[in-house]
Amino acid sequence: MSTKDQNLMKVILIASIIIVLSIVLAGTSVYIIAEKEVVNKLKSKDLVRIAESVASKIDGRLQRAKESSLMLAKDPELINWLAGGEKDEKLQSHVVEKLNDLATGFDYSNGFIASKATGKYWIENGQASKVLSESNASDQWFYKALVSKQQVTLNLDYDAVWHDTFVFVNVLVGKVDAPVGAAGIGLSLKELASNFKDYKYGANSNLWLIDNSGKIYLSDDLNHVGTSVSSLIPEQVVQQMLGQLKQVDPSGQQPVVLDYMDSEGQKMDLISFPLKSTDWKLLFQMRRSESVSFLDTIKINTGIASLLCILAMIFMFYFVTRNLANPYKRAMELNRKLEQAVQERTKQISEQKQKLIDSIDYAKRIQDSILPSREEIETVLKDHFVLWEPRDVVGGDFYWMKQTNNGYLLAIGDCTGHGVPGALMTMISISILNRIAETASAMDPASILQSMNMLIKETLHREHGDLMSDDGLDIGLCFIKGDQLTFAGAKTSLYMKNDQEMTVFKGDRKSIGSVRTNNEFNFTNAELTVTPDDSFYMTTDGYLDQNGGVKNVSFGRKKLIEMIEQFHDKPLEEQETLFRSQLVEYMGDEPQRDDITVLGFKIS
């Protein structure tokens, strides 16, 4: 071997040693950093995300149950029936029917009504299953609820016989400080318990739903249900968790993550995650070795990859040194090809985006063309305003006007969905409205809504649809002939205000085209004689449901009525500006949640 070759081999050997040491040092450093970052991510994101996902499912079911129970408790027929001592059989029939519909229609375990006057406990089959007694310990929930002055309370109950956890939502009926009874529903959490297994990470992880005392009410392991979490986690860990909860967040509304060593010497990670709808908490326990077990595979693969890289780099170093290749030139050529590929792909994406924007803009022009213009409305209504604000470029809200031989029809509607799907539904709805108005023998709003209900179902093939995809339409419809106005609504109300009174004509609580709305359902007309002093308003739920304000809650019907009473004597053109500015001020930085339509008018 020549001196030149010997020197070359020395250079290759030294370079190879440097490369090996560099790769080993880099691999070790990367592994240590990766392990630290994985643990940090596990504690700061993964555990929180898993607990948040499970908590959102529980909160969702509880929130829906609360809303259903409040709807039942606020029913005027129920209040009058309990206030009258449950003597009115007609009211009893209506109340029992609504209770049964609520319990069975929404897949709840049961529904109930408890009377303060008689102590009777009514269930969904229309029977008084028992008489509550203040001396009975199992009935104390009812009497505590009556004096709690809290409209909604929740009770957890584990049934050892059925191996199931039940949540009972209790809502006071009537005034909170003087209730006439309580009503609500009970729902099973058994399905959620089975879903807990889907979130388990390894064989030694656990998910528990506990109350403030630490009692476990929900777990995928039935042996844990009904026991105290202190029997499964060291007492000092429980106390440490409670101490951190008080220190970090005295209100108990923030998650707390900590780790500890179990009896086997294994490190465990634990998160306490609060539920938004109640003061219960979700505990998620995971063994650290199982959550980061993939790092062992990464360690082996990294070692193999490092060895292969070392061999490849030694070979390449030798090859490049021997053949005096020009790596810089090759790198520049590769960089040029990559830049060209990126530019071509960017151009394709830009063209696709522009086509999508053009399509949506064209859809907006189509939707604008089917809505009546201000000039068309002014031919029959000199004094009016329309506030129409889709959430997206196009939307599912619409307003409509049609002149007839002896009067004119006026409507606003809210179709299920936003954006392009909602806009398609508005076109179907307006087409059907025009068809009915042109062929109907009498301009009767209730009959028009009934016909529209059937035609939309036929158009969408919804005669036997799936309740989980039950699209529909909420609409308010007026027929105006001289000084006579007839109104019918589907989940939409008509507001009338003059100098003497404020009147709300509520629509029926059924949607058009919904599977739940029977074809034979008869909508209700409200007939009234109009005076020049009367101002009328109709709105879709987008205005009422917009969140904002200091507490970030919905705008609500109460604020709308207050606004109508405050501004009704101003010109309607000025009212449009006031309605818009009030909503914008209330929204603040919150995004628009839904399509918004408000129609205000006077009849000359």
Side-chain angles (χ1 to χ4, degrees):
M1 181 180 294
S2 65
T3 304
K4 182 179 179 181
D5 290 337
Q6 290 178 351
N7 292 335
L8 178 61
M9 292 303 299
K10 289 180 181 179
V11 171
I12 293 175
L13 179 61
I14 294 173
S16 299
I17 294 174
I18 294 174
I19 291 172
V20 169
L21 292 176
S22 300
I23 291 177
V24 171
L25 180 62
T28 304
S29 301
V30 168
Y31 179 80
I32 294 173
I33 295 172
E35 183 181 29
K36 182 179 179 181
E37 290 301 317
V38 166
V39 172
N40 288 338
K41 180 176 179 292
L42 172 71
K43 298 175 71 174
S44 64
K45 294 182 179 179
D46 294 347
L47 285 175
V48 175
R49 184 172 63 252
I50 294 173
E52 186 177 30
S53 178
V54 180
S56 67
K57 288 182 178 291
I58 300 175
D59 277 324
R61 293 211 65 184
L62 293 179
Q63 188 60 36
R64 190 185 75 166
K66 283 184 178 182
E67 292 173 355
S68 300
S69 300
L70 282 168
M71 180 179 66
L72 175 64
K74 292 181 179 180
D75 189 279
E77 290 186 329
L78 172 60
I79 297 172
N80 293 335
W81 181 57
L82 290 179
E86 304 116 88
K87 296 177 181 179
D88 191 320
E89 295 183 357
K90 183 177 180 180
L91 285 178
Q92 177 179 336
S93 175
H94 291 175
V95 169
V96 169
E97 180 182 359
K98 293 176 182 178
L99 179 62
N100 184 63
D101 289 344
L102 180 63
T104 59
F106 293 90
D107 195 26
Y108 295 126
S109 300
N110 68 294
F112 67 89
I113 299 172
S115 171
K116 178 181 180 182
T118 64
K120 292 182 179 180
Y121 184 84
W122 300 84
I123 56 179
E124 65 270 12
N125 64 3
Q127 301 296 320
S129 62
K130 63 178 180 178
V131 177
L132 302 175
S133 172
E134 197 166 0
S135 61
N136 191 337
S138 64
D139 297 337
Q140 286 300 306
W141 63 268
F142 174 61
Y143 297 99
K144 289 180 180 179
L146 290 178
V147 298
S148 68
K149 294 187 179 180
Q150 295 182 359
Q151 189 169 21
V152 181
T153 55
L154 299 178
N155 289 335
L156 267 175
D157 182 34
Y158 174 68
D159 192 317
V161 177
W162 292 95
H163 300 295
D164 196 1
T165 298
F166 295 89
V167 178
F168 291 93
V169 182
N170 312 313
V171 181
L172 295 180
V173 179
K175 297 181 179 179
V176 175
D177 52 356
V180 296
I185 55 94
L187 68 154
S188 167
L189 298 182
K190 191 170 186 178
E191 181 181 352
L192 286 174
S194 64
N195 291 339
F196 273 19
K197 296 180 181 178
D198 299 334
Y199 292 93
K200 293 194 66 171
Y201 202 108
N204 295 282
S205 63
N206 289 291
L207 267 169
W208 301 307
L209 178 64
I210 67 170
D211 62 10
N212 285 332
S213 67
K215 184 177 180 181
I216 299 175
Y217 282 93
L218 204 61
S219 172
D220 64 298
D221 190 340
L222 294 178
N223 295 324
H224 294 173
V225 180
T227 64
S228 173
V229 71
S230 299
S231 65
L232 303 170
I233 297 176
E235 178 64 29
Q236 63 270 24
V237 176
V238 176
Q239 295 301 322
Q240 180 185 356
M241 179 181 66
L242 294 176
Q244 288 194 23
L245 279 172
K246 293 179 180 179
Q247 181 179 357
V248 175
D249 180 26
S251 66
Q253 295 302 309
Q254 296 294 328
V256 170
V257 182
L258 52 84
D259 54 55
Y260 66 95
M261 304 296 292
D262 66 3
S263 58
E264 300 177 2
Q266 295 285 338
K267 177 152 287 191
M268 307 294 289
D269 292 300
L270 180 68
I271 180 172
S272 171
F273 196 91
L275 298 182
K276 296 179 181 179
S277 54
T278 179
D279 57 357
W280 309 327
K281 292 178 174 60
L282 190 71
L283 293 187
F284 183 34
Q285 176 199 58
M286 181 188 302
R287 180 168 286 184
R288 175 75 60 80
S289 61
E290 292 179 344
S291 61
V292 298
S293 59
F294 65 92
L295 288 176
D296 295 334
T297 304
I298 293 177
K299 185 190 298 183
I300 296 173
N301 292 337
T302 302
I304 295 173
S306 298
L307 179 60
L308 293 176
C309 287
I310 291 170
L311 295 176
M313 292 181 69
I314 292 174
F315 172 77
M316 289 299 297
F317 186 82
Y318 178 80
F319 179 81
V320 169
T321 304
R322 295 285 293 184
N323 295 279
L324 302 176
N326 189 349
Y328 177 75
K329 182 177 180 181
R330 294 183 181 180
M332 292 297 293
E333 179 64 19
L334 177 61
N335 184 64
R336 185 189 65 79
K337 292 181 178 179
L338 288 175
E339 287 184 352
Q340 183 179 358
V342 170
Q343 289 175 357
E344 291 176 354
R345 183 58 180 161
T346 302
K347 181 180 179 182
Q348 291 176 359
I349 294 174
S350 177
E351 291 174 350
Q352 292 172 355
K353 178 182 177 182
Q354 188 59 45
K355 289 179 181 179
L356 181 61
I357 292 174
D358 292 343
S359 297
I360 295 176
D361 287 340
Y362 188 63
K364 176 175 174 56
R365 290 197 296 271
I366 294 175
Q367 186 175 40
D368 289 342
S369 68
I370 66 173
L371 297 175
S373 65
R374 181 181 297 271
E375 291 75 17
E376 289 177 298
I377 299 178
E378 284 180 351
T379 59
V380 295
L381 286 175
K382 299 298 182 183
D383 201 4
H384 78 281
F385 76 83
V386 177
L387 175 59
W388 184 65
E389 292 289 342
R391 191 192 71 173
D392 305 311
V393 178
V394 291
D397 277 13
F398 69 90
Y399 54 94
W400 175 78
M401 186 272 294
K402 185 76 172 179
Q403 287 186 278
T404 66
N405 293 333
N406 56 352
Y408 53 94
L409 293 163
L410 196 63
I412 65 168
D414 179 6
C415 300
T416 302
H418 310 288
V420 174
L424 290 175
M425 279 296 296
T426 66
M427 296 176 190
I428 293 173
S429 301
I430 291 176
S431 176
I432 291 176
L433 270 173
N434 286 328
R435 173 182 168 185
I436 296 173
E438 291 168 359
T439 59
S441 58
M443 294 297 106
D444 176 44
S447 298
I448 292 175
L449 294 189
Q450 184 178 20
S451 299
M452 193 175 185
N453 180 47
M454 293 187 290
L455 287 173
I456 285 184
K457 286 184 179 181
E458 292 176 3
T459 303
L460 300 180
H461 305 290
R462 190 58 60 73
E463 290 84 353
H464 304 287
D466 182 5
L467 290 177
M468 297 303 292
S469 59
D470 188 15
D471 299 334
L473 163 68
D474 299 342
I475 185 172
L477 178 63
C478 296
F479 175 63
I480 302 166
K481 178 182 178 182
D483 63 352
Q484 298 297 311
L485 184 149
T486 305
F487 167 77
K491 288 191 176 180
T492 303
S493 300
L494 174 68
Y495 303 84
M496 184 190 78
K497 181 68 176 83
N498 54 37
D499 292 337
Q500 287 74 40
E501 60 181 345
M502 173 79 190
T503 307
V504 180
F505 300 94
K506 293 185 177 180
D508 294 288
R509 298 192 63 80
K510 295 285 186 179
S511 290
I512 300 297
S514 170
V515 175
R516 298 185 179 90
T517 307
N518 191 283
N519 286 352
E520 285 71 37
F521 179 79
N522 292 318
F523 289 89
T524 307
N525 276 332
E527 299 179 351
L528 60 149
T529 300
V530 179
T531 67
D533 183 45
D534 296 333
S535 296
F536 296 92
Y537 305 87
M538 291 190 292
T539 179
T540 59
D541 59 7
Y543 200 101
L544 303 176
D545 294 343
Q546 177 61 49
N547 61 310
V550 178
K551 298 182 178 180
N552 194 26
V553 297
S554 298
F555 190 86
R557 191 182 305 274
K558 181 180 178 182
K559 284 189 176 65
L560 176 66
I561 291 175
E562 292 174 352
M563 200 164 60
I564 292 174
E565 291 178 336
Q566 181 181 359
F567 301 137
H568 80 279
D569 57 346
K570 298 183 181 297
L572 284 169
E573 184 176 354
E574 182 179 343
Q575 288 187 46
E576 177 184 358
T577 303
L578 292 169
F579 272 63
R580 190 186 304 274
S581 62
Q582 288 286 315
L583 180 64
V584 170
E585 180 181 351
Y586 187 79
M587 288 169 60
D589 296 329
E590 293 296 324
Q592 184 174 332
R593 293 180 56 180
D594 197 357
D595 302 322
I596 294 173
T597 303
V598 180
L599 174 61
F601 61 93
K602 283 187 175 183
I603 300 173
S604 303

